[in-house]
Amino acid sequence: MEHYDWNEGWLFTPTFDPALVRPECPELSLTPVRLPHTVKPLPYNYCNENDYQRLCGYRREFFAPKEWLGRTVLLTFGAVAHDATVFCNGRRMFHHGCGYTAFTVDLTGALRLGQKNVVAVRCDSREDLNIPPFGGQLDALTYGGIYRAVSLDIKEPAYLRDVFIEAKAEGDFRIYTATVGETVGCTLQAEIRSPAGSRAVYSGELSLPITGTLNNVHPWSLEHPTLYTLTVRLIRPGTGGLPDRVLDEKTVRFGFRTVQFVAGGLYLNGQRVELRGLDRHQSYPYQGYAMPDSIQRLDAQLLKKELGCNAVRTCYAPPSPAFLDACDELGLLVFPEMPGWQHIGDEVWQAQALQNCREMVCQYRSHPSIFLWGARISGSPDNEAFYKRTNEAIHRLDPTRPTAGSRSTRKSQLLEDVYAYNDYSYAGRGAGCENRAAVTPDTRKGYLISEFGGQNFPAKPFDDEPHRLVQALHHAAVLNDSIAQPGVAGSFGWCMTDYNTHREFGSGDRICYHGVMDLFRNPKLSAAVYASQKTPRAPSDIVLEVSSAMTLGDLPGGAAAACWVFTNAESVRLYRGNDFVAEFTPDRRGRFAALPH
């Protein structure tokens, strides 16, 4: 078993030429690139989405040693936006029609051992493809390229394709495996390792799940995200006095925890959790999707530690595995969605969407941070036959988690376990959110607000002070009222950051200024609304953000209006120079009485 990172040594051409796939192509002009890579860097604003919509190509040469004879050579792509065809030595090996899930190509049959070999990728990032998320008008750019990591694995002919563990808070677990190749006579060995280093080993048969109970486990929770490690080994018993042989092993991290979503809200390990989150786009300035794992992890850090969120919805698509790894470690709940926005296409489109849904669940289901699966295209109309298939597929592949689907209509068909509603009803006065009973067709099921804010009151980082304050108070009002209303599990504000968009949306400069942070992850005033809701456990956790800089030139008429302080401190003291003026405490009977702080 050998594993190699394959992010170096690639060559790129912005225009695909069939000669790219041949072992020799000296006539092509190719540019050396490192993954992750975007097909076209864009300006910060006033960008043109036509620049990245192209049919382009990648190529990598490598030597395949003779020692690989009789082994299986697997090439895994983390994500290629959006339609990828992989060739090896001129031979077409694999096609993948989703820009947000990983795929693995078996190169074994096309390799030339002891010689130079060539892998080429035909990458299509045009938005007229008949695959999700395309087909309608998109409110965000989709970019292109091999924008997640690539790896090469050398395995035996028989190997483990997949490992999944269901682990409950009480310590009960079930381990499922899927294998490839000739495995007659082989057995499985599962080893669970605790954070303290203690180990428990279990044996099992290939055709059955390995079940058991681990005593005295520490459940995964938001405050204590305890992670265990599972290593499953595929073993061929020795004969004629020879020792047993480990053909393959696969390691995953997981947590013991139980998720229940009922009419009263979300319960994690039997304790109710008030969801307070933001929706996240995985895009960045200039590079689009193509940012390394360290930056993906940084977003999770910002959500949990800087913004004080306990949950995130990865809108319109599954996120980077590195982002999920960080959420597992931090105790940040994740609601991922199948790729798409509003549009449902023809039968070919729907078949690809269903496949995307299966891939999302199979690739991410061991992450304890995931508490809910998005089984609908975000904001799409009802489609009974289609959504019956997506819900059935998810429940079959992962019976431990509920399903939901963000929608923009009241009383739509509820095939999922949770009614997720995009509530844009608040206009600056009155109730911050709609009455749950007026929206969901079944009040016996769970309910959450999957979007709010955003388009109702966007704010640029350079807008004047009153404008930025109104956006912040808008978020505070909806957060408050979603907490105050019984049966609402929580809410997700739209959205974490600004993002580049098509000309039909945004502010005319190809940016949607809906975020509580800008594209560079600099906080706006509205970010302090979320940050101030976290409970301080140390002096460094105290948030103190004053809405006004008291600079007369920023104030209409040069006159200061109401000044707000967003804080999780017990009180705030105001001084003029060294002179004490007054001490202020939260009004526990006022407009924001339901907020923790």
Side-chain angles (χ1 to χ4, degrees), residues 226-377:
T226 305
L227 293 173
Y228 289 72
T229 302
L230 167 68
T231 300
V232 176
R233 299 180 180 92
L234 178 64
I235 298 174
R236 176 156 287 157
T239 58
L242 295 174
D244 293 349
R245 185 182 174 202
V246 178
L247 299 180
D248 193 20
E249 70 176 36
K250 201 172 186 69
T251 298
V252 297
R253 292 191 310 175
F254 71 98
F256 287 93
R257 59 104 179 91
T258 303
V259 173
Q260 295 172 296
F261 220 129
V262 296
L266 170 69
Y267 287 80
L268 180 63
N269 307 329
Q271 300 293 316
R272 190 179 186 279
V273 174
E274 183 72 46
L275 295 169
R276 185 176 65 252
L278 287 161
D279 300 297
R280 173 190 180 252
H281 277 295
Q282 64 168 3
S283 57
Y284 298 82
Y286 312 123
Q287 293 297 105
Y289 293 158
M291 295 297 272
D293 288 352
S294 59
I295 302 300
Q296 306 294 337
R297 297 176 67 90
L298 179 60
D299 264 11
Q301 292 269 356
L302 291 172
L303 282 160
K304 176 78 176 192
K305 296 192 173 182
E306 297 297 322
L307 295 171
C309 294
N310 61 17
V312 57
R313 170 175 162 250
T314 63
C315 43
Y316 309 170
S320 158
F323 177 80
L324 287 175
D325 285 341
C327 293
D328 292 342
E329 296 162 8
L330 292 163
L332 182 65
L333 293 169
V334 184
F335 172 14
E337 293 185 312
M338 59 189 292
W341 189 64
Q342 294 191 347
H343 172 78
I344 299 176
D346 59 18
E347 286 300 317
V348 173
W349 191 99
Q350 291 179 37
Q352 182 61 59
L354 184 59
Q355 177 62 20
N356 299 349
C357 191
R358 294 191 192 102
E359 290 177 355
M360 173 182 72
V361 175
C362 288
Q363 291 171 21
Y364 294 157
R365 57 189 173 178
S366 286
H367 287 278
S369 56
I370 294 176
F371 74 103
L372 192 63
W373 293 116
R376 285 176 67 111
I377 302 296

Side-chain angles (χ1 to χ4, degrees), residues 485-558:
Q485 185 179 158
V488 178
S491 58
F492 293 85
W494 187 268
C495 53
M496 177 186 176
T497 65
D498 297 340
Y499 54 96
N500 289 119
T501 189
H502 294 84
R503 65 177 178 83
E504 293 85 0
F505 304 92
S507 297
D509 63 350
R510 304 300 181 94
I511 295 180
C512 249
Y513 292 100
H514 294 177
V516 302
M517 291 178 146
D518 67 15
L519 265 162
F520 295 99
R521 278 56 180 170
N522 297 308
K524 304 176 188 177
L525 182 61
S526 50
V529 176
Y530 293 85
S532 62
Q533 301 314 308
K534 61 185 178 182
T535 300
R537 305 187 187 281
S540 59
D541 294 333
I542 293 292
V543 174
L544 181 69
E545 188 69 30
V546 183
S547 70
S548 178
M550 303 296 179
T551 49
L552 299 183
D554 289 341
L555 303 170

